[in-house]
Amino acid sequence: MPHFIDVILPIPLEKSYTYKISGTEAKFLSVGMRVAVPFGKSKIYTGIVYKIHNVNPLNYEAKDIHQILDDMPLVTGDQLRFWEWMSGYYMCTMGEVMRSALPSAFILESETIVSKNLGANIDEGILNDDEFLVHEALHYRSSLKIEDIMGILGKKNVFSVIKSLLEKNVILVQEEIFDKYVPKLVRFVKLRPEYASHDSLRQLMETLSKAHKQRDVVMALFSISAKTKKPVKVSELLNESGATSSIIKTLVDKNILEEFYIQTDRVDYSVQGENDSKQLNEHQSKALEEIKTSFDIHNVVMMHGVTSSGKTEIFVKLILETVAKGQQVLYLLPEIALTTQLVRRLRAYFGDMMSVFHSRYSSHERVEVWYNVLNGKQKASVVLGARSSVFLPFQNLGLVIVDEEHETSYKQFDPAPRYHARDAAIVLAHSFKAKTLLGSATPSLESYYNVKQQKYGLVELHRRFNNVLMPDIELVDLKDKYKRKRMKGLFSDRMIEEMELALNDGRQIILFQNRRGFSPIVECRVCGHSPQCINCDVSLTYHQYRNQLRCHYCGYNTVMVQNCQACGSVDLDNKGFGTEQIEEQVKALFPAQKVGRMDLDTTRGKFGYEKIITAFEQQEIDILVGTQMLTKGLDFRNVKLVGIMNADHLLNFPDFRAHERSFQLMSQVSGRAGRTDVRGKVLIQTYNPHHQILQQVSTNSYAEMYADQMVERQNFKYPPVYRLIKLTLRHNDYGRVNMGAEWFARSLRQMFAANVLGPEFPPVPRIRNQYHINILVKLPPEISLVKTKEAIAKIHNSFMSIKDFRAIRVIINVDNY
Ligand code: ADP
Ligand code: ZN
Ligand code: ZN
């Protein structure tokens, strides 16, 4: 009997490919192992064995495989079923899922480039002959292609050699190597507490009267702290007193001065012996019990707790209980880069039981985590990771936590699979009969809708830990301030007053400005009104080249208005302002303070985020100006004031989720204020202080916001009531992509009638010489998602069979964000 295998290849092919194997190979192989297979004329790919059978393919002659790469399955049956779900739900191929799911070192292919692992200490004794030859060749050449290695070894089957060299840590495959970030500590000094009283201090000055230089240092210390009311850095003291480091050292040795480091969160968790998790307070304990009770009926529970209510500590308790049962835990975070603080904190609790999985880690580390999870190693009992960690080969997953579940970065935009990690995680957990806990201070409407539908359980925490008060939120009316000439640039008198107060107190400030540049909206400088689409409940965007206002959802357009439609003013603004401009103005207003900026431009470099976050934590920056990056669950102890420079930019953003997002962003960024001893202050500058969302933010009324927004979503047929599938067509020929889109939309309309919007060019229609055009399908709740997708796939197939359209790329995004 002939033997065949179906293989998943990491390319966007609709079907899996069938290869021939020998009887011996058939005995050895199981589903989930890797094989090296030839493809096309000369390519070699790594594939995953998907099925083993005896059926000859009908349309082509099955080729032989090159070789088997694993002794044991690398991918589990559970994973393959998860991949199937993902490719079905998000309308992409298994190969695309495979490429996203596996660390790149697992997918050797003809294009793979191999280089020496310079960081490793290699014991040549552990290498066999083939391995040694490759290793040696890498002494002379910095990198080798697969065909080079074939030449060196004189054979075609080289993947297993490469695989073994990777496992022995001798080589790397085409990839950057990421270093870990170790923050540089800033050294501070203060007078020892013994000298706090007047008497002891006078005595000290007397004893130092002969040691002039030492006395000068102590005097300088006084004058600096009086001036800045902040901890004094050694470097500052050296500057001010003109002393040398040895004098400071003498004072420290004499127990007059004391050195210390500020590492806020980090110190707390790195103290030895302090690693036991915290005792929950009564509210937290009650919430924990409620979660468990709710898990009896629900697979998914939403933990809705205000910022700083102690959600993380509750997660920790649940995780510990799950691990004690011998089960694995997945803790999902939106973006690891922004959550180094949390990683450290959890590391202190879970230590050797925790692994971090992130695409910024080296491939070797990712491979290690993969095997640890696959083999159920204790090290990987708790996996902390960004969205791609839903692809790990869990064995007995017991709990999934999705922290900050409302974050949009859980959705992958590009490439396919365009999955939402929160939703995928729920499916994953379900397949293990495990529970999922979603956590947020500002749940997404999608998840909260599921709560209201009784699909998810709900547990709430209304108070901050330790009864720290929620920040005091004040709305500042920009219209009034401009009229009464109370503005300095972009700053109202209230903002400046509060900034001075905070700074005099030695506290830090966060200034928030949303700028998602490219699609300017028009805003009246008198009343703040912004022209809206008549069909879509979104702001229109200004297109300068056509002098039009357009809706980028439905295509509605109108000529650019000359007067404000609300108040008639001719003072219309279509520029908006960004973080850079604010930074400049702050520097002019507060020349003595250190100002930092955190946005896409300043965080691009290596460790960009970490550097700025650390500098702010260590109080090297007094005022931090930033975009939404600032909202991501950061815990800065010394921040008293949060200023939102212009809420209208957020509210008027042309997206049906703009109001929900505004609420989430403003609540989250407000949550950074006053997390410990003092009550935080938040100032929101706006032209519309009576806007419902601003009222809801300032009174922390999530429930009201939810109810209002749901009415809009229902009326305008948007998620979570309706589902969205967005199709984007791409081609470098404007006419062709336009024609293709018309054809596609017409076919869709025959099926879905008025629920098809577009085709519509986005605000930036041409990117890298490719024209993009969008079609949006809105699905009413009663319509079957599966059938709809089948219908769309069918239309797509017919589309591809039309000669003129074949070259057009069609990108399908299910549950578009
Ligand atoms: P959230 O995740 O809800 O924003 P956190 O879990 O970060 O809140 O808690 C806020 C702060 O309160 C943190 O600094 C945390 O260490 C502290 N905290 C929370 N619960 C406890 C507890 N039970 N005992 C001591 N400190 C706690
Ligand atoms: Zn107006
Ligand atoms: Zn519209």
Side-chain angles (χ1 to χ4, degrees):
M1 205 178 359
H3 299 277
F4 297 96
I5 51 173
D6 291 351
V7 174
I8 306 167
L9 298 176
I11 41 180
L13 283 174
E14 276 310 321
K15 295 180 195 70
S16 52
Y17 262 68
T18 304
Y19 289 87
K20 200 155 72 210
I21 51 171
S22 68
T24 337
E25 284 170 332
K27 274 203 202 92
F28 184 81
L29 266 182
S30 20
V31 169
M33 287 186 186
R34 281 175 301 166
V35 284
V37 296
F39 187 79
K41 276 212 190 73
S42 60
K43 285 201 187 299
I44 308 173
Y45 281 114
T46 300
I48 298 286
V49 179
Y50 187 37
K51 277 176 192 135
I52 304 173
H53 58 85
N54 308 104
V55 189
N56 219 331
L58 281 179
N59 311 327
Y60 55 94
E61 172 97 24
K63 289 185 188 167
D64 292 321
I65 65 168
H66 277 177
Q67 62 188 147
I68 300 172
L69 295 175
D70 293 309
D71 311 330
M72 302 275 289
L74 182 75
V75 176
T76 66
D78 286 323
Q79 281 180 292
L80 289 174
R81 278 185 291 283
F82 182 61
W83 292 11
E84 282 163 7
W85 167 80
M86 189 167 274
S87 95
Y89 188 89
Y90 291 105
M91 302 183 75
C92 62
T93 68
M94 288 288 271
E96 287 169 319
V97 179
M98 171 186 170
R99 190 171 284 286
S100 263
L102 296 180
S104 55
F106 282 149
I107 310 182
L108 302 171
E109 50 201 335
S110 341
E111 291 86 0
T112 300
I113 293 169
V114 164
S115 63
K116 198 163 158 180
N117 184 1
L118 296 169
N121 254 331
I122 295 149
D123 169 13
E124 291 176 353
I126 61 168
L127 305 179
N128 68 24
D129 290 354
D130 280 351
E131 291 162 13
F132 184 77
L133 284 174
V134 176
H135 170 60
E136 201 185 40
L138 283 169
H139 284 314
Y140 305 106
R141 296 171 58 178
S142 61
S143 67
L144 296 172
K145 296 201 197 110
I146 296 295
E147 52 190 66
D148 301 333
I149 297 175
M150 289 177 180
I152 292 165
L153 301 182
K155 60 178 176 187
K156 276 211 137 136
N157 296 348
V158 300
F159 280 12
S160 60
V161 177
I162 299 170
K163 182 195 153 221
S164 168
L165 284 167
L166 272 170
E167 281 165 6
K168 292 177 178 168
N169 213 4
V170 176
I171 57 165
L172 300 168
V173 288
Q174 90 223 102
E175 182 169 33
E176 280 178 76
I177 309 148
F178 296 102
D179 303 332
K180 295 250 166 53
Y181 180 62
V182 185
K184 214 174 89 224
L185 287 180
V186 179
R187 202 151 53 105
F188 292 85
V189 273
K190 62 182 175 201
L191 211 55
R192 289 194 71 94
E194 297 92 283
Y195 301 106
S197 78
H198 257 295
D199 284 347
S200 54
L201 189 60
R202 208 183 38 218
Q203 257 176 11
L204 171 68
M205 293 319 259
E206 267 164 33
T207 45
L208 289 182
S209 62
K210 295 257 164 55
H212 288 290
K213 284 187 178 158
Q214 294 178 26
R215 200 195 49 194
D216 290 351
V217 168
V218 175
M219 301 288 280
L221 181 63
F222 273 113
S223 91
I224 301 174
S225 10
K227 217 165 46 201
T228 64
K229 301 205 174 55
K230 285 193 306 194
V232 179
K233 284 178 220 140
V234 172
S235 56
E236 238 175 323
L237 188 56
L238 287 173
N239 268 343
E240 181 86 15
S241 65
T244 60
S245 343
S246 68
I247 297 177
I248 294 185
K249 185 168 181 299
T250 310
L251 285 165
V252 172
D253 290 344
K254 284 166 88 177
N255 279 332
I256 296 170
L257 293 186
E258 180 181 1
E259 289 181 313
F260 67 104
Y261 299 92
I262 295 185
Q263 228 193 351
T264 51
D265 232 344
R266 299 168 185 191
V267 165
D268 295 5
Y269 301 100
S270 56
V271 178
Q272 277 181 341
E274 284 273 303
N275 293 357
D276 295 336
S277 67
K278 299 193 165 61
Q279 181 110 34
L280 299 186
N281 71 15
E282 68 180 293
H283 306 288
Q284 288 170 314
S285 306
K286 186 161 157 276
L288 179 61
E289 285 316 307
E290 285 172 4
I291 292 168
K292 290 188 206 163
T293 319
S294 190
F295 274 154
D296 288 340
I297 3 177
H298 295 108
N299 287 323
V300 184
V301 172
M302 163 67 71
M303 156 105 231
H304 179 200
V306 296
T307 50
S308 209
S309 54
K311 296 185 287 297
T312 317
E313 303 299 330
I314 299 176
F315 297 159
V316 168
K317 289 285 186 287
L318 265 182
I319 294 170
L320 289 171
E321 288 178 21
T322 311
V323 172
K325 284 190 276 186
Q327 293 177 314
Q328 294 170 313
V329 177
L330 170 61
Y331 190 129
L332 277 182
L333 288 168
E335 278 164 82
I336 295 267
L338 296 179
T339 35
T340 40
Q341 283 187 329
L342 188 62
V343 172
R344 255 167 241 261
R345 185 168 160 191
L346 297 178
R347 172 77 70 203
Y349 291 146
F350 302 120
D352 293 344
M353 295 189 315
M354 185 177 103
S355 296
V356 179
F357 188 77
H358 188 261
S359 56
R360 295 216 314 166
Y361 284 15
S362 78
S363 182
H364 186 70
E365 285 170 290
R366 273 180 285 156
V367 164
E368 200 173 297
V369 175
W370 183 283
Y371 281 121
N372 286 339
V373 173
L374 182 65
N375 298 321
K377 290 273 168 62
Q378 191 193 333
K379 256 191 187 160
S381 303
V382 182
V383 179
L384 194 62
R387 61 175 181 247
S388 62
S389 45
V390 297
F391 292 118
L392 285 168
F394 294 100
Q395 294 294 334
N396 60 344
L397 189 63
L399 174 69
V400 175
I401 288 178
V402 186
D403 202 358
E404 311 287 355
E405 69 83 31
H406 62 277
E407 277 288 337
T408 46
S409 51
Y410 277 126
K411 179 81 156 90
Q412 169 147 317
F413 278 101
D414 238 353
R418 297 179 173 80
Y419 64 104
H420 197 298
R422 173 196 63 215
D423 301 338
I426 291 171
V427 172
L428 176 75
H430 192 62
S431 71
F432 283 93
K433 301 197 166 47
K435 303 293 179 181
T436 306
L437 183 60
L438 309 178
S440 176
T442 51
S444 63
L445 291 199
E446 277 78 5
S447 296
Y448 212 73
Y449 182 66
N450 283 325
V451 168
K452 292 285 187 192
Q453 304 276 33
Q454 318 279 333
K455 274 205 215 157
Y456 299 173
L458 175 68
V459 173
E460 297 177 298
L461 266 181
H462 299 290
R463 273 166 219 264
R464 289 186 144 186
F465 181 75
N466 245 343
N467 286 326
V468 172
L469 288 173
M470 292 299 282
D472 169 33
I473 301 180
E474 178 181 325
L475 300 170
V476 178
D477 185 349
L478 283 177
K479 188 167 51 164
D480 176 67
K481 294 293 180 191
Y482 273 113
K483 205 162 75 197
R484 295 198 288 136
K485 308 237 173 336
R486 297 283 169 78
M487 297 293 290
K488 278 194 188 146
L490 302 164
F491 292 78
S492 63
D493 53 354
R494 282 295 296 131
M495 189 69 85
I496 295 171
E497 277 162 30
E498 288 293 336
M499 287 176 75
E500 279 164 354
L501 268 178
L503 292 170
N504 286 339
D505 233 9
R507 300 290 176 164
Q508 289 166 291
I509 299 172
I510 288 177
L511 295 178
F512 174 81
Q513 172 59 35
N514 182 59
R515 193 189 57 171
R516 293 162 63 184
F518 57 79
S519 56
I521 48 138
V522 175
E523 200 173 68
C524 170
R525 242 192 285 253
V526 175
C527 76
H529 174 81
S530 176
Q532 304 286 307
C533 176
I534 52 169
N535 305 319
C536 299
D537 195 33
V538 299
S539 296
L540 297 170
T541 56
Y542 176 53
H543 288 233
Q544 200 171 14
Y545 64 101
R546 287 191 238 170
N547 196 37
Q548 270 184 344
L549 293 170
R550 294 185 68 87
C551 169
H552 78 214
Y553 281 91
C554 71
Y556 169 80
N557 61 76
T558 164
V559 295
M560 170 66 183
V561 293
Q562 296 307 313
N563 301 82
C564 170
Q565 292 149 307
C567 76
S569 156
V570 290
D571 197 2
L572 300 180
D573 179 12
N574 56 32
K575 287 186 288 294
F577 57 91
T579 41
E580 225 166 313
Q581 205 176 344
I582 293 173
E583 184 191 13
E584 251 166 53
Q585 296 192 5
V586 181
K587 282 181 175 160
L589 287 168
F590 298 95
Q593 311 296 335
K594 284 269 284 188
V595 183
R597 175 157 66 92
M598 180 154 147
D599 55 26
L600 269 182
D601 301 327
T602 59
T603 53
R604 202 163 282 145
K606 212 174 180 190
F607 304 131
Y609 304 104
E610 287 93 337
K611 274 187 195 153
I612 296 174
I613 290 171
T614 307
F616 196 54
E617 269 183 343
Q618 298 187 352
Q619 303 186 27
E620 287 208 71
I621 294 174
D622 304 302
I623 304 170
L624 184 58
V625 181
T627 56
Q628 44 262 57
M629 284 179 186
L630 282 174
T631 60
K632 322 240 168 183
L634 296 170
D635 193 355
F636 299 119
R637 297 298 165 87
N638 196 41
V639 173
K640 162 100 187 292
L641 175 68
V642 168
I644 296 176
M645 298 304 293
N646 182 321
D648 307 294
H649 287 317
L650 277 173
L651 291 166
N652 293 333
F653 192 75
D655 181 287
F656 71 90
R657 287 191 174 90
H659 286 180
E660 175 191 0
R661 290 266 174 284
S662 304
F663 182 90
Q664 287 162 341
L665 273 170
M666 287 189 262
S667 307
Q668 294 283 350
V669 75
S670 301
R672 308 303 123 219
R675 287 168 73 92
T676 43
D677 45 342
V678 286
R679 185 169 187 200
K681 177 84 189 174
V682 178
L683 282 182
I684 303 180
Q685 300 193 138
T686 172
Y687 286 101
N688 295 289
H690 299 294
H691 196 292
Q692 59 184 20
I693 287 287
L694 296 178
Q695 293 295 326
Q696 287 154 359
V697 169
S698 62
T699 52
N700 196 27
S701 309
Y702 178 85
E704 251 173 61
M705 183 282 292
Y706 174 81
D708 280 358
Q709 291 307 308
M710 283 305 291
V711 173
E712 309 271 303
R713 300 290 175 91
Q714 182 84 52
N715 287 345
F716 292 99
K717 304 187 176 174
Y718 277 117
V721 189
Y722 281 58
R723 290 176 167 267
L724 292 186
I725 297 179
K726 179 174 164 189
L727 295 108
T728 304
L729 277 62
R730 243 166 56 181
H731 194 262
N732 57 15
D733 180 341
Y734 178 92
R736 183 178 303 202
V737 75
N738 208 5
M739 224 162 62
E742 288 295 343
W743 185 97
F744 215 121
R746 217 176 315 122
S747 313
L748 286 168
R749 278 205 178 88
Q750 284 168 7
M751 310 273 314
F752 307 110
N755 291 323
V756 180
L757 299 186
E760 166 64 11
F761 283 101
V764 185
R766 195 170 65 148
I767 301 172
R768 276 176 243 110
N769 275 324
Q770 294 271 314
Y771 285 94
H772 295 228
I773 188 161
N774 296 323
I775 304 169
L776 200 62
V777 184
K778 291 174 167 183
L779 301 174
E782 64 277 7
I783 281 191
S784 148
L785 200 56
V786 178
K787 292 230 173 74
T788 304
K789 286 175 189 164
E790 280 168 9
I792 293 177
K794 236 190 208 146
I795 295 172
H796 188 194
N797 277 339
S798 324
F799 182 82
M800 290 316 234
S801 67
I802 298 170
K803 197 169 123 273
D804 275 352
F805 298 157
R806 201 164 298 149
I808 298 176
R809 261 201 78 191
V810 178
I811 295 153
I812 303 179
N813 191 340
V814 178
D815 295 342
N816 169 51
Y817 265 68

